[in-house]
Amino acid sequence: MSRKTDPILDDLPALRRYALTLSRDEGEAEDLVQETLLRGHQARGTLRAGGNIRRWLFGILHNVFVDRYRSRTSEERRIVATGLTAPQSAEAPQEAVVRLSQIRTAFLDLPQDQREALHLVAIEGLSYAEAADIAGVPIGTIMSRISRARARLREFEDGPQRPALQIVGGRNGRG
């Protein structure tokens, strides 16, 4: 008497391995597999009769991972944007705090596309290719935007428009 096996159960180890490769975290990998199975169940009518269920499940798993990655990236950008736009205080007398506020202002004064590109690469540590994918532009565009943003920040650092720090009671003899 031959025992018929469930093709989905047969593919679970491979799905788990792929999920772990994508996420590099066992808990996240397990969540990815669970979400894949749920979406597969909900979309079971889209699988063609006689279609390759393994390839279909791997495709769903890939899409679940991409959706979660984009969602996390979007959330991180919102958190950073909120932090950058929240009122800042420079009440502390330290020169570094004032200087950081000036640099922050210069960064926020960059055009949005340059600010976004520089943030993704310099702050989030993404590659140019990843940043280009997220921004939906060619990699050369990202490289150009970052180059222009860095040039503008260098101009701020070197230019006469840089606000002078006035340290009360400091070494400059005032106060």
Side-chain angles (χ1 to χ4, degrees):
M1 172 151 110
S2 72
R3 187 173 169 181
K4 191 174 180 180
T5 62
D6 186 343
I8 293 176
L9 291 178
D10 292 343
D11 289 330
L12 276 179
L15 287 171
R16 285 188 178 110
R17 284 190 305 270
Y18 183 50
L20 187 57
T21 296
L22 292 173
S23 68
R24 296 179 286 174
D25 178 85
E26 288 185 24
E28 175 71 12
E30 192 60 37
D31 289 347
L32 287 169
V33 171
Q34 293 297 320
E35 180 72 19
T36 298
L37 295 175
L38 177 64
R39 286 191 190 182
H41 176 71
Q42 291 170 340
R44 63 190 177 276
T46 65
L47 180 62
R48 291 184 326 231
N52 186 329
I53 194 165
R54 182 178 188 162
R55 186 174 6 172
W56 184 69
L57 289 170
F58 271 71
I60 293 172
L61 176 62
H62 172 80
N63 290 338
V64 168
F65 174 76
V66 170
D67 289 349
R68 286 182 175 209
Y69 174 79
R70 287 180 178 159
S71 177
R72 265 194 312 271
T73 302
S74 177
E75 179 67 16
E76 289 169 2
R77 281 195 298 199
R78 282 192 298 275
I79 289 169
V80 169
T82 301
L84 290 174
T85 60
Q88 299 295 314
S89 174
E91 296 174 11
Q94 293 87 2
E95 181 179 339
V97 172
V98 175
R99 187 72 194 118
L100 185 57
S101 177
Q102 292 170 343
I103 293 170
R104 178 183 168 275
T105 299
F107 178 78
L108 291 175
D109 286 343
L110 290 172
Q112 185 274 332
D113 60 339
Q114 293 176 16
R115 195 173 58 246
E116 176 188 21
L118 188 60
H119 175 90
L120 290 172
V121 172
I123 296 173
E124 298 301 329
L126 299 177
S127 69
Y128 287 157
E130 291 168 325
D133 184 48
I134 290 169
V137 297
I139 193 169
T141 301
I142 285 292
M143 295 170 74
S144 176
R145 288 176 181 175
I146 290 171
S147 176
R148 288 192 309 268
R150 287 177 174 158
R152 285 183 71 148
L153 291 176
R154 273 192 296 276
E155 287 174 15
F156 169 78
E157 280 295 301
D158 299 337
Q161 75 277 15
R162 177 179 170 189
L165 294 175
Q166 299 296 317
I167 309 299
V168 176
R171 294 183 296 272
N172 61 2
R174 296 184 184 152

Coordinates of all heavy atoms in Angstrom, one line a residue, residues 45-90:
G45 N -6.3 29.2 -5.7 CA -7.0 29.2 -7.0 C -6.2 29.7 -8.1 O -6.5 29.5 -9.3
T46 N -5.1 30.4 -7.8 CA -4.2 30.9 -8.9 C -3.2 29.9 -9.4 O -2.6 30.1 -10.4 CB -3.5 32.2 -8.5 OG1 -2.6 31.8 -7.4 CG2 -4.4 33.2 -8.0
L47 N -3.1 28.8 -8.7 CA -2.1 27.7 -9.1 C -2.8 26.9 -10.2 O -3.9 26.4 -10.1 CB -1.7 26.8 -8.0 CG -0.8 25.7 -8.3 CD1 0.6 26.2 -8.8 CD2 -0.6 24.8 -7.1
R48 N -2.1 26.9 -11.4 CA -2.6 26.2 -12.5 C -2.7 24.7 -12.2 O -1.8 24.2 -11.5 CB -1.8 26.4 -13.8 CG -1.8 27.8 -14.3 CD -1.0 27.8 -15.6 NE 0.2 27.0 -15.5 CZ 1.4 27.3 -15.7 NH1 1.6 28.5 -16.1 NH2 2.4 26.5 -15.6
A49 N -3.6 24.0 -12.7 CA -3.7 22.5 -12.6 C -2.4 21.9 -13.2 O -2.1 22.2 -14.3 CB -5.0 22.0 -13.3
G50 N -1.8 21.1 -12.4 CA -0.5 20.5 -12.8 C 0.7 21.4 -12.8 O 1.7 21.1 -13.2
G51 N 0.5 22.7 -12.2 CA 1.6 23.6 -12.1 C 2.6 23.2 -11.1 O 2.3 22.3 -10.3
N52 N 3.7 23.8 -11.2 CA 4.8 23.5 -10.3 C 4.6 24.2 -8.9 O 4.9 25.4 -8.8 CB 6.2 23.9 -10.9 CG 7.4 23.5 -10.1 OD1 7.3 23.4 -8.9 ND2 8.5 23.2 -10.8
I53 N 4.1 23.4 -7.9 CA 3.8 24.0 -6.6 C 5.0 24.5 -5.9 O 5.0 25.5 -5.2 CB 3.0 23.0 -5.8 CG1 2.4 23.7 -4.6 CG2 3.9 21.8 -5.3 CD1 1.3 22.9 -3.9
R54 N 6.1 23.8 -6.1 CA 7.4 24.3 -5.4 C 7.8 25.6 -5.9 O 8.1 26.5 -5.1 CB 8.5 23.3 -5.6 CG 9.7 23.6 -4.9 CD 10.8 22.6 -5.1 NE 11.9 23.0 -4.3 CZ 12.9 22.1 -3.9 NH1 12.8 20.9 -4.3 NH2 13.9 22.5 -3.2
R55 N 7.8 25.8 -7.2 CA 8.2 27.1 -7.8 C 7.2 28.2 -7.4 O 7.6 29.3 -7.1 CB 8.3 27.0 -9.3 CG 8.8 28.3 -10.0 CD 9.0 28.1 -11.4 NE 8.5 26.8 -12.0 CZ 8.5 26.5 -13.2 NH1 8.8 27.3 -14.1 NH2 8.0 25.3 -13.6
W56 N 5.9 27.8 -7.4 CA 4.9 28.8 -7.0 C 5.1 29.2 -5.5 O 5.0 30.4 -5.2 CB 3.5 28.1 -7.2 CG 2.3 28.9 -6.9 CD1 1.8 29.9 -7.6 CD2 1.4 28.7 -5.8 NE1 0.7 30.4 -7.1 CE2 0.4 29.6 -6.0 CE3 1.3 27.7 -4.8 CZ2 -0.7 29.7 -5.1 CZ3 0.2 27.8 -3.9 CH2 -0.8 28.8 -4.1
L57 N 5.4 28.3 -4.6 CA 5.6 28.6 -3.2 C 6.9 29.4 -3.0 O 6.9 30.4 -2.2 CB 5.7 27.4 -2.3 CG 4.3 26.6 -2.1 CD1 4.5 25.3 -1.5 CD2 3.4 27.5 -1.3
F58 N 7.9 29.1 -3.8 CA 9.2 29.9 -3.7 C 8.9 31.3 -4.2 O 9.4 32.3 -3.6 CB 10.3 29.2 -4.5 CG 11.1 28.2 -3.7 CD1 10.6 27.0 -3.4 CD2 12.4 28.5 -3.4 CE1 11.3 26.1 -2.7 CE2 13.1 27.6 -2.7 CZ 12.6 26.4 -2.3
G59 N 8.1 31.5 -5.2 CA 7.8 32.8 -5.7 C 7.0 33.6 -4.6 O 7.3 34.8 -4.4
I60 N 6.1 32.9 -4.0 CA 5.3 33.6 -2.9 C 6.2 34.0 -1.8 O 6.2 35.1 -1.2 CB 4.2 32.7 -2.4 CG1 3.1 32.5 -3.5 CG2 3.5 33.3 -1.1 CD1 2.0 31.5 -3.1
L61 N 7.1 33.1 -1.4 CA 8.1 33.4 -0.3 C 9.0 34.6 -0.6 O 9.2 35.5 0.2 CB 9.0 32.1 0.0 CG 10.1 32.3 1.0 CD1 9.5 32.6 2.4 CD2 10.9 31.0 1.1
H62 N 9.4 34.6 -1.9 CA 10.3 35.7 -2.3 C 9.5 37.0 -2.2 O 10.0 38.0 -1.7 CB 10.7 35.5 -3.7 CG 11.4 36.7 -4.3 ND1 12.7 37.0 -4.0 CD2 10.9 37.7 -5.1 CE1 13.0 38.2 -4.6 NE2 12.0 38.6 -5.3
N63 N 8.2 37.0 -2.7 CA 7.4 38.2 -2.6 C 7.1 38.7 -1.2 O 7.1 39.9 -0.8 CB 6.1 38.0 -3.4 CG 6.3 37.9 -4.9 OD1 7.3 38.4 -5.4 ND2 5.4 37.3 -5.6
V64 N 6.9 37.7 -0.3 CA 6.6 38.0 1.1 C 7.9 38.7 1.7 O 7.8 39.7 2.4 CB 6.3 36.8 2.0 CG1 6.3 37.0 3.5 CG2 4.9 36.2 1.6
F65 N 9.1 38.2 1.4 CA 10.3 38.8 1.9 C 10.5 40.2 1.4 O 10.8 41.1 2.1 CB 11.5 37.9 1.5 CG 12.8 38.5 1.9 CD1 13.3 38.5 3.2 CD2 13.6 39.1 0.9 CE1 14.5 39.1 3.5 CE2 14.8 39.7 1.3 CZ 15.2 39.7 2.6
V66 N 10.3 40.4 0.1 CA 10.4 41.7 -0.5 C 9.4 42.7 0.1 O 9.8 43.8 0.4 CB 10.3 41.6 -2.0 CG1 10.2 43.0 -2.7 CG2 11.5 40.9 -2.6
D67 N 8.2 42.2 0.3 CA 7.2 43.1 0.9 C 7.6 43.5 2.3 O 7.5 44.7 2.7 CB 5.8 42.4 1.0 CG 5.1 42.2 -0.4 OD1 5.6 42.8 -1.3 OD2 4.1 41.5 -0.4
R68 N 8.1 42.6 3.1 CA 8.5 42.9 4.5 C 9.7 43.8 4.5 O 9.8 44.7 5.3 CB 8.8 41.6 5.2 CG 7.6 40.9 5.6 CD 8.0 39.6 6.4 NE 6.7 39.0 6.9 CZ 6.7 38.3 8.0 NH1 7.7 38.1 8.7 NH2 5.5 37.8 8.4
Y69 N 10.7 43.6 3.5 CA 11.9 44.4 3.5 C 11.5 45.9 3.1 O 11.9 46.8 3.8 CB 12.8 43.9 2.4 CG 14.0 44.8 2.1 CD1 15.1 44.8 3.0 CD2 14.0 45.6 1.0 CE1 16.2 45.6 2.8 CE2 15.1 46.5 0.8 CZ 16.2 46.4 1.7 OH 17.2 47.3 1.5
R70 N 10.6 46.0 2.1 CA 10.2 47.3 1.7 C 9.4 48.0 2.9 O 9.6 49.2 3.1 CB 9.3 47.3 0.5 CG 10.2 47.0 -0.8 CD 9.3 46.9 -2.0 NE 10.1 46.7 -3.2 CZ 9.7 46.2 -4.3 NH1 8.4 45.9 -4.4 NH2 10.5 46.0 -5.3
S71 N 8.6 47.3 3.5 CA 7.8 47.8 4.7 C 8.8 48.3 5.8 O 8.6 49.4 6.3 CB 6.9 46.8 5.2 OG 6.1 47.3 6.3
R72 N 9.8 47.5 6.1 CA 10.7 47.9 7.1 C 11.5 49.1 6.7 O 11.7 50.0 7.5 CB 11.7 46.7 7.4 CG 11.3 45.8 8.6 CD 12.5 44.9 9.0 NE 13.1 44.2 8.0 CZ 12.8 43.1 7.5 NH1 11.7 42.4 8.0 NH2 13.4 42.5 6.5
T73 N 11.9 49.1 5.5 CA 12.7 50.3 5.0 C 11.9 51.5 5.0 O 12.3 52.6 5.4 CB 13.2 50.0 3.5 OG1 14.0 48.8 3.5 CG2 14.0 51.1 3.0
S74 N 10.6 51.4 4.6 CA 9.7 52.5 4.6 C 9.5 53.0 6.0 O 9.5 54.2 6.3 CB 8.4 52.1 4.0 OG 7.5 53.2 4.0
E75 N 9.3 52.1 6.9 CA 9.1 52.5 8.4 C 10.4 53.2 8.9 O 10.3 54.2 9.6 CB 8.8 51.2 9.2 CG 8.6 51.5 10.7 CD 7.3 52.4 11.0 OE1 6.5 52.5 10.1 OE2 7.3 52.9 12.1
E76 N 11.5 52.6 8.6 CA 12.8 53.2 9.1 C 12.9 54.6 8.5 O 13.3 55.6 9.3 CB 14.0 52.4 8.7 CG 14.1 51.1 9.4 CD 15.1 50.1 8.8 OE1 15.8 50.5 7.8 OE2 15.2 49.0 9.4
R77 N 12.6 54.8 7.3 CA 12.7 56.2 6.7 C 11.7 57.1 7.4 O 12.0 58.3 7.6 CB 12.4 56.2 5.2 CG 13.6 55.7 4.4 CD 13.4 56.0 2.9 NE 12.2 55.3 2.4 CZ 12.0 55.1 1.1 NH1 12.8 55.5 0.2 NH2 10.9 54.4 0.7
R78 N 10.5 56.6 7.7 CA 9.5 57.5 8.4 C 10.0 57.9 9.8 O 9.9 59.0 10.2 CB 8.2 56.8 8.5 CG 7.4 56.9 7.2 CD 5.9 56.4 7.4 NE 5.8 55.0 7.9 CZ 5.7 54.0 7.1 NH1 5.9 54.1 5.8 NH2 5.6 52.8 7.6
I79 N 10.6 56.9 10.5 CA 11.2 57.2 11.8 C 12.3 58.2 11.7 O 12.3 59.1 12.5 CB 11.6 55.9 12.5 CG1 10.4 55.0 12.8 CG2 12.5 56.1 13.7 CD1 10.8 53.6 13.2
V80 N 13.2 58.0 10.8 CA 14.3 59.0 10.6 C 13.7 60.3 10.2 O 14.2 61.4 10.8 CB 15.3 58.4 9.6 CG1 16.3 59.5 9.2 CG2 16.0 57.2 10.1
A81 N 12.8 60.4 9.3 CA 12.2 61.7 8.9 C 11.6 62.4 10.1 O 11.7 63.6 10.2 CB 11.2 61.5 7.8
T82 N 10.9 61.6 10.9 CA 10.2 62.2 12.1 C 11.3 62.7 13.0 O 11.1 63.8 13.5 CB 9.4 61.1 12.8 OG1 8.4 60.6 11.9 CG2 8.7 61.7 14.0
G83 N 12.4 62.0 13.2 CA 13.4 62.5 14.1 C 14.1 63.7 13.5 O 14.5 64.6 14.3
L84 N 14.2 63.8 12.2 CA 14.9 64.9 11.6 C 14.0 66.2 11.6 O 14.5 67.3 11.7 CB 15.3 64.6 10.1 CG 16.4 63.6 10.0 CD1 16.6 63.3 8.5 CD2 17.7 64.1 10.6
T85 N 12.7 66.0 11.6 CA 11.8 67.1 11.5 C 11.3 67.5 12.9 O 10.7 68.6 13.1 CB 10.6 66.9 10.6 OG1 9.9 65.7 11.1 CG2 11.0 66.7 9.2
A86 N 11.6 66.7 13.9 CA 11.1 67.0 15.3 C 11.9 68.2 15.8 O 13.1 68.4 15.4 CB 11.3 65.8 16.2
P87 N 11.3 69.0 16.6 CA 12.1 70.2 17.1 C 13.3 69.8 17.8 O 13.3 68.8 18.6 CB 11.1 70.8 18.1 CG 9.7 70.3 17.7 CD 10.0 69.0 17.1
Q88 N 14.4 70.4 17.5 CA 15.7 70.1 18.1 C 16.0 71.2 19.1 O 15.7 72.4 18.9 CB 16.8 70.0 17.1 CG 16.5 68.9 16.1 CD 16.5 67.5 16.7 OE1 17.4 67.2 17.5 NE2 15.5 66.7 16.4
S89 N 16.7 70.9 20.1 CA 17.1 71.9 21.1 C 18.7 71.9 21.1 O 19.3 70.9 21.0 CB 16.6 71.4 22.5 OG 17.1 72.3 23.5
A90 N 19.2 73.2 21.2 CA 20.6 73.4 21.3 C 20.9 74.1 22.6 O 21.7 75.0 22.6 CB 21.1 74.1 20.1

